[in-house]
Amino acid sequence: MDSGGRGSRRGRGRRANRGGEDGDISLSKSMSYALRHGADQMGLQMGTAGDVERVVATNDKQRFKLRSHPEDGRLQIRANQGHSVQVMDLELKAVLAGSPDCPAEAVHGSYLRNWSSIQLQGLSRMRRTHIHLASGLPGEDGVISGMRRDCDLAVFIDVPRALADGIEFFRSENGVLLTPGDSEGKLLPKYFSRALRLRPTRSILPLQ
């Protein structure tokens, strides 16, 4: 998506909106929704390039990437992951079995209210193009994205086992692991290595 000219209203985005939310946080949420789910269908044009550049630079989860269009130099922006629409230029690195960057485990964050369904049916990419996995739990070294901080359920995936069965994994530019799952868009329970209740205290959940 083009972000428009560079000279417009730089620095005003930190004003709070009506709900008292920081302007940059509000803009980041709007950008995430638009870039992941089809800004063209929303008729959205971003004209506040200064605000957009600042949000991209300061976003703690590195959700976005800016680049200059190769022909006319206009700024373009995209989300690093989380799409429900196909993005052809999404820069993903394939995770190969046995490679140094192939993790033994990856973790998917969810909520305890979903555990009975996940336990039986596995994880589903739903309407997205990928299932999102983090390299660890929020707050651990190097973990900046991949699961929401309010998740109270962590499901760990045996990545090498899934790779051995032909399921693909990719790493996005901000370190999130992505997988389209199997032919039905799922990671079945047989790939679960463990599950944790995260709150109020951490405890192991039975897989079966």
Side-chain angles (χ1 to χ4, degrees):
M1 180 193 304
D2 289 335
S3 62
R6 289 177 177 268
S8 53
R9 291 174 287 181
R10 185 178 298 271
R12 72 172 180 82
R14 290 192 179 277
R15 279 188 316 196
N17 61 18
R18 293 179 185 176
E21 188 174 67
D22 182 280
D24 283 358
I25 295 175
S26 179
L27 178 58
S28 176
K29 289 180 178 179
S30 298
M31 287 163 55
S32 291
Y33 180 80
L35 295 169
R36 290 170 172 174
H37 309 298
D40 55 339
Q41 297 178 8
M42 301 167 61
L44 181 62
Q45 293 182 341
M46 291 184 180
T48 57
D51 293 340
V52 171
E53 290 177 8
R54 185 182 61 255
V55 169
V56 171
T58 61
N59 183 260
D60 61 346
K61 292 183 179 293
Q62 298 180 15
R63 289 189 175 103
F64 313 107
K65 181 176 182 179
L66 281 174
R67 72 173 186 180
S68 295
H69 191 281
E71 295 181 2
D72 59 20
R74 287 174 62 86
L75 278 179
Q76 295 180 315
I77 184 172
R78 64 164 168 76
N80 279 325
Q81 76 275 323
H83 305 83
S84 58
V85 294
Q86 291 290 339
V87 179
M88 299 308 294
D89 67 341
L90 193 62
E91 297 176 17
L92 300 178
K93 180 181 179 182
V95 175
L96 304 177
S99 65
D101 65 344
C102 177
E105 287 184 319
V107 58
H108 178 81
S110 187
Y111 301 93
L112 288 169
R113 63 178 179 268
N114 301 325
W115 176 232
S116 59
S117 174
I118 292 172
Q119 193 177 20
L120 292 175
Q121 302 178 32
L123 299 172
S124 173
R125 70 185 186 211
M126 308 295 285
R127 295 183 180 180
R128 292 185 172 187
T129 56
H130 296 100
I131 298 168
H132 289 202
L133 302 165
S135 56
L137 296 174
E140 293 182 351
D141 288 345
V143 180
I144 62 169
S145 190
M147 64 183 295
R148 296 179 177 177
R149 290 187 178 273
D150 66 342
C151 290
D152 55 9
L153 170 66
V155 182
F156 289 79
I157 305 301
D158 185 331
V159 175
R161 182 178 182 184
L163 283 168
D165 285 351
I167 294 177
E168 296 180 309
F169 289 82
F170 303 92
R171 193 181 298 276
S172 70
E173 290 184 83
N174 61 347
V176 175
L177 284 172
L178 306 171
T179 177
D182 61 16
S183 60
E184 296 182 352
K186 293 184 176 183
L187 277 177
L188 296 178
K190 67 179 180 178
Y191 301 119
F192 297 172
S193 55
R194 55 194 174 112
L196 293 179
R197 178 197 302 269
L198 299 179
R199 275 185 291 279
T201 57
R202 291 189 182 181
S203 59
I204 298 174
L205 296 171
L207 294 181
Q208 294 181 348

